[in-house]
Amino acid sequence: MPALAKYGYEGLFLVLFLEAIGIPIPGALALLIAGAACASGNMRLIIALPVSIAAMLAGDTLLYVVGRKTGWHLLGFLCRISVNPETCILRSAESFYRRGRTTLVVAKFIPGINTMAPPLAGSMNMKLWQFWQLDFVGALLYALAFGGAGFLFSDLLKMIVGGIQAFSSIVAWLIALGVAVYAAYRVWLYQKHRMYRVVPRVSVEELAERLKTDIDKEIVIADVRSHGYYDAQAQRILGSIRLEPNNLQASIKDLSKERQIYLYCT
Amino acid sequence: MLKEAGYDAFVIVGGLGAWQKAGHPLEPVPKEDLVLLPTFS
């Protein structure tokens, strides 16, 4: 964490803010180093602690506002990597509704949940003041836990940081390997889904024209969104039906194969 | 999957957004299709 050592409070704020908005940066390590810097007199605890909490609150509030503005779309986006996005959305929402207040307090300690909790609170219309109170407690606990550990075990940390520097080339190779594996995974996904590109595409103008002229072809317009149905004001194309992508066989069992199906999402 | 099942399927370019932007008609999602998730207020 050389940036933190060089830029002190600004670096601490930046690292914790970026971690809060979901960038995979080890904020806990920054707090450990800041705690150790406070123990050695290079940083002042009375400044480092408020800076840390302010950074986390700023990042979390940003995600809260995004969740508030986008409704369920952000959760839908985050659940896209799930095996069953529909179930992911439903379970996440119900779980957060039951344990949301506790979740916000401990979220910082659980990777992944720390990024999901603030936008979920926004999506579920938690009052901003209540969100700030719970998030403040969570941020304080997180800062005290890791900053305190850094403060108390500053000598041990120096040894660990020295060890990390010694093995920096190994770390660099591991990062490169991770990037290569991810790139290979993306190529595999690309190859796997290549077959779906043969599905013909039509513009809305073409479809509107076909609706006027090809009445005998029995056109079906099918809405395949999964997260477009969680807002009471949700709209769809006039006359369309819903096809649930995660339950396609059941959705199409009564649909004649003579009909042309035009699919759309958001 | 629809193609595999023997359906004549097409994809609407731009989806609902493009349809709405072009000024074509919309309708509210029927209440029985809505899955309303819990909220704090």
Side-chain angles (χ1 to χ4, degrees):
Chain A
M1 203 62 44
L4 186 66
K6 188 173 178 184
Y7 298 107
Y9 304 111
E10 296 91 337
L12 180 64
F13 185 95
L14 185 66
V15 169
L16 290 173
F17 177 79
L18 291 176
E19 188 197 37
I21 62 169
I23 308 294
I25 287 180
L29 185 58
L31 283 169
L32 280 169
I33 294 171
C38 288
S40 61
N42 292 319
M43 289 176 89
R44 295 181 64 196
L45 184 64
I46 201 166
I47 301 173
L49 185 62
V51 162
S52 304
I53 293 171
M56 289 184 267
L57 280 179
D60 291 344
T61 303
L62 181 64
L63 289 189
Y64 169 91
V65 171
V66 171
R68 190 88 187 220
K69 296 285 179 197
T70 60
W72 299 107
H73 292 279
L74 185 66
L75 181 59
F77 175 76
L78 293 171
C79 279
R80 278 171 65 180
I81 55 169
S82 166
V83 175
N84 189 333
E86 191 81 8
T87 308
C88 168
I89 292 171
L90 290 170
R91 284 196 181 156
S92 302
E94 282 167 8
S95 170
F96 193 80
Y97 183 70
R98 284 200 306 273
R99 295 185 281 267
R101 292 168 178 87
T102 313
T103 305
L104 270 174
V105 172
V106 299
K108 294 263 167 252
F109 294 90
I110 311 167
I113 303 297
N114 60 338
T115 309
M116 290 279 282
L120 264 177
S123 296
M124 297 174 78
N125 291 332
M126 182 180 276
K127 287 188 168 48
L128 182 59
W129 178 242
Q130 186 185 21
F131 169 76
W132 271 335
Q133 286 177 311
L134 295 166
D135 199 48
F136 174 81
V137 175
L140 180 66
L141 287 176
Y142 189 62
L144 287 178
F146 286 97
F151 190 89
L152 293 174
F153 305 109
S154 56
D155 292 337
L156 182 65
L157 266 176
K158 280 177 193 164
M159 287 171 58
I160 293 171
V161 169
I164 289 173
Q165 284 170 346
F167 289 102
S168 59
S169 62
I170 295 174
V171 172
W173 275 107
L174 285 174
I175 291 170
L177 181 67
V179 170
V181 168
Y182 180 73
Y185 171 71
R186 297 302 304 186
V187 170
W188 175 75
L189 273 184
Y190 175 81
Q191 295 291 343
K192 187 184 169 193
H193 293 128
R194 198 170 53 175
M195 61 179 285
Y196 296 122
R197 289 201 300 275
V198 300
V199 178
R201 298 157 70 86
V202 295
S203 67
V204 291
E205 291 78 16
E206 267 180 275
L207 175 58
E209 196 58 37
R210 288 185 197 182
L211 282 169
K212 283 180 197 162
T213 56
D214 297 354
I215 299 168
D216 56 318
K217 284 190 179 167
E218 293 195 69
I219 289 172
V220 174
I221 303 177
D223 183 350
V224 293
R225 292 175 294 168
S226 55
H227 57 269
Y229 281 73
Y230 301 128
D231 292 315
Q233 292 79 31
Q235 290 193 303
R236 65 182 189 181
I237 292 178
L238 181 65
S240 58
I241 61 164
R242 187 184 189 195
L243 282 188
E244 173 49 60
N246 299 303
N247 194 17
L248 194 63
Q249 294 304 328
S251 295
I252 61 174
K253 69 177 190 299
D254 297 325
L255 212 54
S256 163
K257 290 186 180 173
E258 301 302 314
R259 306 178 80 175
Q260 288 185 342
I261 305 175
Y262 291 79
L263 308 167
Y264 73 93
C265 59
T266 52
Chain B
M1 288 164 75
L2 284 168
K3 285 274 186 191
E4 285 168 6
Y7 286 94
D8 200 7
F10 302 82
V11 171
I12 304 172
V13 179
L16 181 65
W19 182 266
Q20 190 172 12
K21 201 172 174 183
H24 296 303
L26 300 171
E27 65 181 4
V29 170
K31 281 196 168 52
E32 61 272 19
D33 280 355
L34 286 173
V35 183
L36 294 179
L37 298 177
T39 59
F40 289 104
S41 59

